[in-house]
PDB file of all heavy atoms in Angstrom:
ATOM      1  N   LEU A 159      10.743 -16.929  34.399  1.00 89.00           N
ATOM      2  CA  LEU A 159       9.713 -15.927  33.999  1.00 89.00           C
ATOM      3  C   LEU A 159       8.760 -16.445  32.961  1.00 89.00           C
ATOM      4  O   LEU A 159       7.553 -16.365  32.978  1.00 89.00           O
ATOM      5  CB  LEU A 159      10.318 -14.643  33.683  1.00 89.00           C
ATOM      6  CG  LEU A 159       9.496 -13.417  33.791  1.00 89.00           C
ATOM      7  CD1 LEU A 159       8.928 -13.147  35.142  1.00 89.00           C
ATOM      8  CD2 LEU A 159      10.401 -12.198  33.448  1.00 89.00           C
ATOM      9  N   PHE A 160       9.396 -17.074  31.881  1.00 88.00           N
ATOM     10  CA  PHE A 160       8.637 -17.470  30.704  1.00 88.00           C
ATOM     11  C   PHE A 160       8.545 -18.977  30.639  1.00 88.00           C
ATOM     12  O   PHE A 160       8.569 -19.551  29.595  1.00 88.00           O
ATOM     13  CB  PHE A 160       9.275 -16.830  29.404  1.00 88.00           C
ATOM     14  CG  PHE A 160       9.167 -15.365  29.404  1.00 88.00           C
ATOM     15  CD1 PHE A 160      10.202 -14.645  29.828  1.00 88.00           C
ATOM     16  CD2 PHE A 160       7.975 -14.694  29.148  1.00 88.00           C
ATOM     17  CE1 PHE A 160      10.119 -13.162  29.794  1.00 88.00           C
ATOM     18  CE2 PHE A 160       7.807 -13.433  29.096  1.00 88.00           C
ATOM     19  CZ  PHE A 160       8.915 -12.652  29.419  1.00 88.00           C
ATOM     20  N   GLN A 161       8.463 -19.624  31.833  1.00 88.00           N
ATOM     21  CA  GLN A 161       8.160 -21.024  31.973  1.00 88.00           C
ATOM     22  C   GLN A 161       8.929 -21.936  30.916  1.00 88.00           C
ATOM     23  O   GLN A 161       8.314 -22.664  30.201  1.00 88.00           O
ATOM     24  CB  GLN A 161       6.689 -21.191  31.674  1.00 88.00           C
ATOM     25  CG  GLN A 161       5.839 -20.651  32.794  1.00 88.00           C
ATOM     26  CD  GLN A 161       5.917 -21.400  34.149  1.00 88.00           C
ATOM     27  OE1 GLN A 161       5.470 -22.522  34.206  1.00 88.00           O
ATOM     28  NE2 GLN A 161       6.548 -20.775  35.186  1.00 88.00           N
ATOM     29  N   GLY A 162      10.234 -21.948  31.085  1.00 90.00           N
ATOM     30  CA  GLY A 162      11.025 -22.911  30.402  1.00 90.00           C
ATOM     31  C   GLY A 162      11.669 -22.310  29.024  1.00 90.00           C
ATOM     32  O   GLY A 162      12.314 -23.026  28.354  1.00 90.00           O
ATOM     33  N   LEU A 163      11.558 -20.982  28.877  1.00 94.00           N
ATOM     34  CA  LEU A 163      12.072 -20.359  27.648  1.00 94.00           C
ATOM     35  C   LEU A 163      13.696 -20.472  27.744  1.00 94.00           C
ATOM     36  O   LEU A 163      14.321 -20.106  28.745  1.00 94.00           O
ATOM     37  CB  LEU A 163      11.695 -18.911  27.647  1.00 94.00           C
ATOM     38  CG  LEU A 163      12.391 -18.127  26.483  1.00 94.00           C
ATOM     39  CD1 LEU A 163      11.951 -18.473  25.184  1.00 94.00           C
ATOM     40  CD2 LEU A 163      12.107 -16.572  26.717  1.00 94.00           C
ATOM     41  N   TYR A 164      14.260 -20.915  26.601  1.00 96.00           N
ATOM     42  CA  TYR A 164      15.765 -20.973  26.554  1.00 96.00           C
ATOM     43  C   TYR A 164      16.223 -19.767  25.672  1.00 96.00           C
ATOM     44  O   TYR A 164      15.524 -19.679  24.592  1.00 96.00           O
ATOM     45  CB  TYR A 164      16.295 -22.212  25.868  1.00 96.00           C
ATOM     46  CG  TYR A 164      16.186 -23.429  26.692  1.00 96.00           C
ATOM     47  CD1 TYR A 164      14.986 -24.187  26.706  1.00 96.00           C
ATOM     48  CD2 TYR A 164      17.133 -23.848  27.495  1.00 96.00           C
ATOM     49  CE1 TYR A 164      14.824 -25.386  27.494  1.00 96.00           C
ATOM     50  CE2 TYR A 164      16.965 -24.926  28.320  1.00 96.00           C
ATOM     51  CZ  TYR A 164      15.869 -25.720  28.288  1.00 96.00           C
ATOM     52  OH  TYR A 164      15.818 -26.810  28.987  1.00 96.00           O
ATOM     53  N   LEU A 165      17.220 -19.120  25.895  1.00 97.00           N
ATOM     54  CA  LEU A 165      17.768 -17.988  25.110  1.00 97.00           C
ATOM     55  C   LEU A 165      18.931 -18.642  24.314  1.00 97.00           C
ATOM     56  O   LEU A 165      19.367 -17.896  23.282  1.00 97.00           O
ATOM     57  CB  LEU A 165      18.317 -16.872  25.958  1.00 97.00           C
ATOM     58  CG  LEU A 165      17.329 -16.090  26.861  1.00 97.00           C
ATOM     59  CD1 LEU A 165      17.964 -15.103  27.638  1.00 97.00           C
ATOM     60  CD2 LEU A 165      16.191 -15.583  25.931  1.00 97.00           C
ATOM     61  N   THR A 166      19.470 -19.763  24.543  1.00 98.00           N
ATOM     62  CA  THR A 166      20.759 -20.235  23.936  1.00 98.00           C
ATOM     63  C   THR A 166      20.527 -21.442  22.992  1.00 98.00           C
ATOM     64  O   THR A 166      21.479 -22.047  22.657  1.00 98.00           O
ATOM     65  CB  THR A 166      21.838 -20.645  25.062  1.00 98.00           C
ATOM     66  OG1 THR A 166      21.218 -21.531  25.946  1.00 98.00           O
ATOM     67  CG2 THR A 166      22.230 -19.388  25.894  1.00 98.00           C
ATOM     68  N   ARG A 167      19.268 -21.703  22.555  1.00 98.00           N
ATOM     69  CA  ARG A 167      19.200 -22.822  21.692  1.00 98.00           C
ATOM     70  C   ARG A 167      19.505 -22.317  20.252  1.00 98.00           C
ATOM     71  O   ARG A 167      19.053 -21.229  19.912  1.00 98.00           O
ATOM     72  CB  ARG A 167      17.773 -23.328  21.651  1.00 98.00           C
ATOM     73  CG  ARG A 167      17.385 -24.275  22.914  1.00 98.00           C
ATOM     74  CD  ARG A 167      15.997 -24.788  22.749  1.00 98.00           C
ATOM     75  NE  ARG A 167      15.917 -25.895  23.828  1.00 98.00           N
ATOM     76  CZ  ARG A 167      14.783 -26.416  24.122  1.00 98.00           C
ATOM     77  NH1 ARG A 167      13.553 -26.009  23.504  1.00 98.00           N
ATOM     78  NH2 ARG A 167      14.646 -27.334  25.000  1.00 98.00           N
ATOM     79  N   ASP A 168      20.194 -23.143  19.528  1.00 98.00           N
ATOM     80  CA  ASP A 168      20.472 -22.932  18.110  1.00 98.00           C
ATOM     81  C   ASP A 168      19.365 -23.545  17.303  1.00 98.00           C
ATOM     82  O   ASP A 168      19.496 -24.820  17.024  1.00 98.00           O
ATOM     83  CB  ASP A 168      21.851 -23.468  17.714  1.00 98.00           C
ATOM     84  CG  ASP A 168      22.295 -23.293  16.299  1.00 98.00           C
ATOM     85  OD1 ASP A 168      21.259 -22.862  15.535  1.00 98.00           O
ATOM     86  OD2 ASP A 168      23.405 -23.389  15.961  1.00 98.00           O
ATOM     87  N   ILE A 169      18.277 -22.945  17.129  1.00 98.00           N
ATOM     88  CA  ILE A 169      17.098 -23.528  16.607  1.00 98.00           C
ATOM     89  C   ILE A 169      17.242 -24.175  15.232  1.00 98.00           C
ATOM     90  O   ILE A 169      16.887 -25.276  15.098  1.00 98.00           O
ATOM     91  CB  ILE A 169      15.812 -22.611  16.665  1.00 98.00           C
ATOM     92  CG1 ILE A 169      15.651 -22.031  18.118  1.00 98.00           C
ATOM     93  CG2 ILE A 169      14.628 -23.150  16.045  1.00 98.00           C
ATOM     94  CD1 ILE A 169      15.012 -23.020  19.040  1.00 98.00           C
ATOM     95  N   PRO A 170      17.841 -23.426  14.276  1.00 98.00           N
ATOM     96  CA  PRO A 170      18.035 -23.985  12.960  1.00 98.00           C
ATOM     97  C   PRO A 170      18.834 -25.350  13.036  1.00 98.00           C
ATOM     98  O   PRO A 170      18.434 -26.313  12.281  1.00 98.00           O
ATOM     99  CB  PRO A 170      18.832 -22.947  12.133  1.00 98.00           C
ATOM    100  CG  PRO A 170      18.447 -21.603  12.913  1.00 98.00           C
ATOM    101  CD  PRO A 170      18.302 -22.051  14.290  1.00 98.00           C
ATOM    102  N   SER A 171      19.852 -25.419  13.880  1.00 97.00           N
ATOM    103  CA  SER A 171      20.577 -26.635  13.966  1.00 97.00           C
ATOM    104  C   SER A 171      19.760 -27.787  14.528  1.00 97.00           C
ATOM    105  O   SER A 171      19.824 -28.922  14.006  1.00 97.00           O
ATOM    106  CB  SER A 171      21.778 -26.492  14.838  1.00 97.00           C
ATOM    107  OG  SER A 171      22.681 -25.587  14.220  1.00 97.00           O
ATOM    108  N   LEU A 172      18.916 -27.446  15.543  1.00 97.00           N
ATOM    109  CA  LEU A 172      18.018 -28.465  16.089  1.00 97.00           C
ATOM    110  C   LEU A 172      16.972 -28.869  15.131  1.00 97.00           C
ATOM    111  O   LEU A 172      16.527 -30.057  15.146  1.00 97.00           O
ATOM    112  CB  LEU A 172      17.417 -27.822  17.390  1.00 97.00           C
ATOM    113  CG  LEU A 172      18.462 -27.738  18.553  1.00 97.00           C
ATOM    114  CD1 LEU A 172      17.892 -26.739  19.637  1.00 97.00           C
ATOM    115  CD2 LEU A 172      18.696 -29.077  19.169  1.00 97.00           C
ATOM    116  N   ILE A 173      16.449 -27.969  14.282  1.00 97.00           N
ATOM    117  CA  ILE A 173      15.438 -28.340  13.315  1.00 97.00           C
ATOM    118  C   ILE A 173      16.109 -29.372  12.406  1.00 97.00           C
ATOM    119  O   ILE A 173      15.508 -30.357  11.932  1.00 97.00           O
ATOM    120  CB  ILE A 173      14.928 -27.045  12.597  1.00 97.00           C
ATOM    121  CG1 ILE A 173      14.069 -26.230  13.453  1.00 97.00           C
ATOM    122  CG2 ILE A 173      14.155 -27.467  11.282  1.00 97.00           C
ATOM    123  CD1 ILE A 173      13.484 -24.886  12.964  1.00 97.00           C
ATOM    124  N   MET A 174      17.376 -29.119  11.894  1.00 95.00           N
ATOM    125  CA  MET A 174      18.064 -29.991  11.050  1.00 95.00           C
ATOM    126  C   MET A 174      18.345 -31.287  11.681  1.00 95.00           C
ATOM    127  O   MET A 174      18.094 -32.453  11.012  1.00 95.00           O
ATOM    128  CB  MET A 174      19.369 -29.383  10.462  1.00 95.00           C
ATOM    129  CG  MET A 174      18.902 -28.235   9.554  1.00 95.00           C
ATOM    130  SD  MET A 174      20.277 -27.546   8.608  1.00 95.00           S
ATOM    131  CE  MET A 174      21.107 -26.382   9.827  1.00 95.00           C
TER     132      MET A 174
END
Side-chain angles (χ1 to χ4, degrees):
L159 199 57
F160 296 99
Q161 293 289 294
L163 175 69
Y164 290 90
L165 298 179
T166 58
R167 280 183 169 170
D168 178 348
I169 302 284
S171 299
L172 289 161
I173 289 176
M174 289 188 279

